Amino acid sequence: MKFGERLNYLRNEKKMSALKLSEVLNVSHSTIIRWEKGEILPSIEHLYNIATYFGVSADYLIGLED
C-alpha cells in the first residue's frame, strides 16, 4: 500500500473525518485529501505526527513494513 492508502485506512479505522484529522494535525482539510489521493507527500514533521497519533511507525506509513 502507498502512504495515502494507509493514511485513509487508519483514519477510517478510527471513524474519523478528514476534517477532524486536519484539525488534529493542524493542516488544511485539502492537505489531508491530497495526501490520501497521493498528490503530495507529508513533510518529515507531519509524517512523525501522523505516526505518533495513530501509534504506527513511519516505515509502516510509507510502506516499508506491514
Side-chain angles (χ1 to χ4, degrees):
M1 265 195 255
K2 296 178 184 177
F3 169 78
E5 294 169 330
R6 292 206 172 175
L7 179 60
N8 182 270
Y9 172 79
L10 291 168
R11 184 175 61 74
N12 286 319
E13 280 291 302
K14 283 198 172 226
K15 297 180 178 23
M16 174 181 266
S17 69
L19 181 59
K20 179 62 179 169
L21 183 58
S22 73
E23 292 168 358
V24 168
L25 297 174
N26 198 30
V27 298
S28 70
H29 176 255
S30 64
T31 296
I32 301 295
I33 300 302
R34 293 181 72 200
W35 284 343
E36 290 186 355
K37 286 183 175 181
E39 294 176 0
I40 59 173
L41 292 171
S43 67
I44 297 297
E45 179 181 352
H46 285 123
L47 185 64
Y48 173 82
N49 292 338
I50 294 163
T52 300
Y53 180 76
F54 287 109
V56 299
S57 70
D59 283 350
Y60 169 79
L61 286 171
I62 62 173
L64 293 177
E65 64 181 39
D66 291 328

